[in-house]
Amino acid sequence: MFNIERWQEIFQAIAKNKLRTFLTGVSVASGIFILVILLGAGRGIQNGIQTQFAKDATNKIEIYPGVTQKEFKGLGIGRETKFKNRDYDIVTQKFENYIDNRSKLYSVWSGNIVYGKETGTYRIEGVNPNYQFIENSEIKNGRFVNLSDIEHFEKVAVIGKKVETDLFKNNEEALGKNINVSGTIYKVVGVFTDPGGEREESRVFIPITTAQRAYSAGDNIRSMAFTMPKRDDFDQAVAESESFSKQLDKVLKERHNIAPDDESALYINNSLEQAKKIYQMTDMIQGFFWFVGILTIIAGVVGVGNIMLIVVKERTKEIGIRKALGATPYSIIAMILHEAVFITLISGFIGLIFGLLLWAGIGPFVESDFFTHPEVDFNIALTTVILLTVAGAFAGFVPAYKAAKIKPIVALRDE
């Protein structure tokens, strides 16, 4: 039972072994500190990756044409796959139940845009109205491309915030202004922002039909993009996404006479499959961090056990006197365990506090594409300290048990 006399004994015992106690405490505190730092870093990686996937719809599937690398049905290698409007129509009709948002795209990577005396080169993308939701773009001013624009081949443009900043100086309003896009005049009907930042905001969206006509593409399209309905169950969403990707691959290869195992003829980018792989990787990283942190803590616990052995050895005569005066084995064990628990608990809390303070201080300022807002779940960290204290108690039990078994007459003869 804890009382004033017992605490005085603990402090006196610690005072006699200042250096050993200090080194053991540092070992335990550093173990918790390292674990907190590693867990915070692991959370920062997870947050960064989740932020990256949040930039686009998480169930986004994109299909790009490639070049055949295998012969099929008498057709040689090196054939360039070309998607048509008809491919898009067939896919959207066949997989209507799979698809949430859809868009075909005709992209021009280096489109020259002029407004007044300002000029710049940006990516021009002909899209359908749903593409706003596929990209998670948010309209800052005006509107996005609509169905009327598609049907009437309207020369309208939705520009990114970066384009607006570059071309429209002195806070000039872009909405309603005319810009020259590769020699054709377009009216700005909207300005958008994107979670992806400047790279994604350096784009200009125009109606897909207008893009095909302006760039003499006929019925050719560069790519197709879809999203699937969101599911609460991540595994179910991944399974449905993988099934759709496989069926999509099969349909398009059959239409273009491509060998089923030709991986170069077209490319399907499935964001959920990527997310699954990366989440698995982050789980492995987090598990590795736990492994390293726990090994460090075990080293500290072993240190506690070792110092308790030394304490018992140095206090053998004192223990003998206590037993000769009537001290029970339980009181001897409790005396040693109290010291072990005290050292472990105080050191653990010191390591925990320093670790949390470090992340609280630098966490808000640490941010990159794949590392952001490192943090530690306080409940998990506190539970770790409690488990560490229990482990420290077990580490001190063996020396305490040996102390309780010492016979008074033998202890009093100890030199």
Side-chain angles (χ1 to χ4, degrees):
M1 182 176 181
F2 286 105
N3 52 48
I4 295 177
E5 290 78 11
R6 181 59 52 79
W7 281 105
Q8 288 176 340
E9 291 174 359
I10 291 174
F11 287 128
Q12 289 171 359
I14 290 175
K16 291 179 181 178
N17 299 275
K18 290 180 181 178
L19 180 59
R20 295 194 189 101
T21 303
F22 174 76
L23 293 177
T24 302
V26 168
S27 177
V28 173
S30 63
I32 287 292
F33 177 79
I34 291 171
L35 179 60
V36 170
I37 296 304
L38 291 175
L39 292 180
R43 175 62 66 180
I45 294 172
Q46 288 182 331
N47 290 341
I49 290 173
Q50 289 172 356
T51 300
Q52 288 297 311
F53 278 103
K55 291 177 180 178
D56 294 318
T58 53
N59 54 355
K60 179 180 177 181
I61 297 174
E62 298 172 291
I63 307 95
Y64 303 94
V67 177
T68 60
Q69 295 296 322
K70 294 188 177 183
E71 296 182 355
F72 188 68
K73 293 184 178 180
L75 300 172
I77 63 174
R79 290 182 296 120
E80 183 181 353
T81 305
K82 292 185 178 180
F83 292 154
K84 307 284 186 179
N85 288 334
R86 182 59 181 160
D87 292 310
Y88 175 79
D89 294 337
I90 288 174
V91 167
T92 53
Q93 292 170 10
K94 185 176 182 63
F95 300 107
E96 178 69 28
N97 294 332
Y98 279 93
I99 299 170
D100 188 11
N101 296 302
R102 67 206 71 185
S103 179
K104 51 189 174 182
L105 292 89
Y106 189 88
S107 303
V108 178
W109 286 91
S110 299
N112 189 57
I113 300 180
V114 179
Y115 175 73
K117 296 181 180 180
E118 305 296 333
T119 184
T121 301
Y122 307 95
R123 181 161 40 134
I124 313 300
E125 294 192 334
V127 298
N128 289 102
N130 275 172
Y131 197 66
Q132 175 189 354
F133 307 109
I134 295 174
E135 281 292 291
N136 264 359
S137 298
E138 182 177 344
I139 297 298
K140 175 188 171 187
N141 291 314
R143 63 175 176 82
F144 200 72
V145 173
N146 60 31
L147 287 175
S148 178
D149 298 330
I150 301 292
E151 293 172 355
H152 296 97
F153 303 88
E154 297 288 353
K155 293 182 177 65
V156 295
V158 182
I159 65 175
K161 183 180 177 182
K162 178 67 166 60
V163 180
E164 179 189 39
T165 302
D166 291 347
L167 299 182
F168 296 87
K169 304 297 184 180
N170 301 319
N171 295 321
E172 183 180 358
E173 178 65 51
L175 204 63
K177 300 296 194 303
N178 292 327
I179 57 176
N180 187 318
V181 181
S182 302
T184 303
I185 302 301
Y186 289 79
K187 181 180 181 180
V188 177
V189 296
V191 179
F192 72 90
T193 60
D194 192 285
E198 287 192 356
R199 180 177 178 275
E200 300 301 317
E201 291 173 354
S202 298
R203 293 181 294 171
V204 174
F205 296 132
I206 61 176
I208 177 66
T209 52
T210 306
Q212 289 174 318
R213 177 177 289 184
Y215 295 100
S216 303
D219 66 343
N220 291 327
I221 57 177
R222 301 284 196 196
S223 61
M224 294 177 272
F226 306 97
T227 62
M228 300 177 62
K230 292 186 177 181
R231 305 295 184 194
D232 293 332
D233 188 319
F234 181 76
D235 292 332
Q236 179 188 359
V238 171
E240 291 179 356
S241 182
E242 290 175 343
S243 175
F244 175 49
S245 297
K246 290 178 181 178
Q247 293 183 61
L248 187 60
D249 181 79
K250 180 180 179 182
V251 168
L252 291 174
K253 284 181 175 178
E254 287 176 351
R255 277 189 50 77
H256 291 272
N257 292 316
I258 298 170
D261 58 346
D262 190 340
E263 301 297 330
S264 300
L266 56 88
Y267 302 95
I268 298 180
N269 180 20
N270 187 327
S271 65
L272 278 184
E273 288 182 357
Q274 292 180 352
K276 180 180 179 181
K277 292 177 182 177
I278 293 180
Y279 288 154
Q280 289 174 342
M281 182 183 71
T282 57
D283 288 342
M284 291 176 62
I285 293 174
Q286 195 81 327
F288 176 74
F289 285 170
W290 269 106
F291 177 73
V292 173
I294 288 174
L295 285 182
T296 308
I297 290 174
I298 289 175
V301 171
V302 171
V304 173
N306 289 335
I307 196 174
M308 288 299 104
L309 284 172
I310 295 172
V311 167
V312 169
K313 179 67 177 175
E314 292 181 347
R315 298 175 65 185
T316 300
K317 184 171 288 189
E318 176 191 339
I319 292 171
I321 294 172
R322 286 175 178 272
K323 296 193 73 172
L325 294 174
T328 64
Y330 170 78
S331 66
I332 300 298
I333 292 175
M335 177 182 68
I336 304 299
L337 286 184
H338 286 166
E339 293 181 28
V341 170
F342 180 81
I343 294 172
T344 308
L345 184 62
I346 297 301
S347 301
F349 270 114
I350 290 174
L352 172 64
I353 291 170
F354 272 94
L356 293 176
L357 287 176
L358 178 65
W359 280 130
I362 69 173
F365 306 101
V366 178
E367 188 167 349
S368 64
D369 287 345
F370 289 96
F371 190 90
T372 182
H373 301 308
E375 57 188 359
V376 179
D377 188 317
F378 180 78
N379 291 330
I380 292 177
L382 184 60
T383 301
T384 303
V385 172
I386 294 173
L387 292 176
L388 171 65
T389 304
V390 173
F394 276 108
F397 179 77
V398 173
Y401 184 75
K402 287 183 178 181
K405 288 293 185 180
I406 295 175
K407 294 181 179 181
I409 190 169
V410 174
L412 292 172
R413 290 176 181 172
D414 185 69
E415 294 295 336

